Amino acid sequence: AVPIGLFREPPPAPMSASTAAPQSWRGALGGFVSRPGAWAWLGVVMAYKAGESLGGAMLKPMLVDLGLGLTELGALTGTAGFTAGLVGALLGGAAVTRFGAGRSLVVFGVLQSLTVAAYAVVPPLGVAALGLPIYVLTVLEHLCGGMATAALFTRMMDACAAETEGTDYTVQASAVVIATGGAATLSGFVAENLGYSGHFLLS
């Protein structure tokens, strides 16, 4: 927030008589969803983070049920997981710059899916998996999640038109929030019916 508070926008260029008036947000919204492939892309955007949210919402409950203490849980998800996610976002941004958003989106999405699915092996192993293995897995999953998020958000920016970028990005970001919030809301029901292993495989 500090850089934003210090930022001063340049004065707008004077509009000539031939300059078109800015589009209303309704017009910009209609323009975005009417583009070829827009609805398919919104489907990709929603699905891309929904699985991570579905699985992530049940990670802590699963670990508590397996006997992990609150102090260990905080160190695992709060310290190790947060740090790995931050590093992943930085690495993901660098990779997107080098390899492109499209390729990074696919590769990091696959890696994120595999690491989320790997949580399915934890319940059968029980407390034996709650030592170093769960730290390694959690760090890898958060690392891949951070990289995938950087790739997705970059690709979302690429999908914005120059004249309506604010509306275009907001539509896509809202789709992400709807998908992740909905997935997290359903996570308890899914885990109850499929068990933790089935839940993470589905995620």
Side-chain angles (χ1 to χ4, degrees):
V2 173
I4 295 172
L6 298 176
F7 181 74
R8 296 293 176 264
E9 292 192 54
M15 292 180 61
S16 65
S18 60
T19 303
Q23 241 185 341
S24 69
W25 70 266
R26 291 181 182 85
L29 175 60
F32 178 82
V33 298
S34 64
R35 290 179 208 159
W39 287 103
W41 170 241
L42 286 176
V44 170
V45 166
M46 295 180 77
Y48 197 80
K49 298 303 289 183
E52 179 192 33
S53 181
L54 183 68
M58 283 294 107
L59 177 59
K60 291 178 182 178
M62 177 185 73
L63 296 175
V64 170
D65 285 349
L66 291 175
L68 198 68
L70 292 180
T71 302
E72 296 169 300
L73 189 63
L76 177 65
T77 60
T79 304
F82 173 80
T83 303
L86 183 61
V87 172
L90 295 172
L91 292 176
V96 166
T97 302
R98 181 168 182 177
F99 302 112
R103 183 182 300 176
S104 299
L105 191 72
V106 174
V107 173
F108 298 156
V110 170
L111 291 175
Q112 177 179 254
S113 297
L114 292 174
T115 53
V116 170
Y119 284 123
V121 306
V122 176
L125 296 177
V127 293
L130 297 183
L132 181 61
I134 193 64
Y135 273 88
V136 173
L137 176 55
T138 301
V139 165
L140 287 175
E141 188 267 317
H142 282 73
L143 185 76
C144 293
M147 295 167 74
T149 299
L152 177 65
F153 287 0
T154 303
R155 184 63 189 85
M156 285 163 55
M157 287 187 278
D158 292 343
C160 297
E163 303 80 15
T164 56
E165 62 268 64
T167 300
D168 293 356
Y169 193 84
T170 300
V171 170
Q172 298 173 81
S174 298
V176 172
V177 172
I178 291 169
T180 54
T185 301
L186 294 173
S187 61
F189 299 101
V190 175
E192 183 177 9
N193 285 279
L194 299 181
Y196 283 129
S197 293
H199 175 82
F200 284 106
L201 288 175
L202 176 63
S203 300

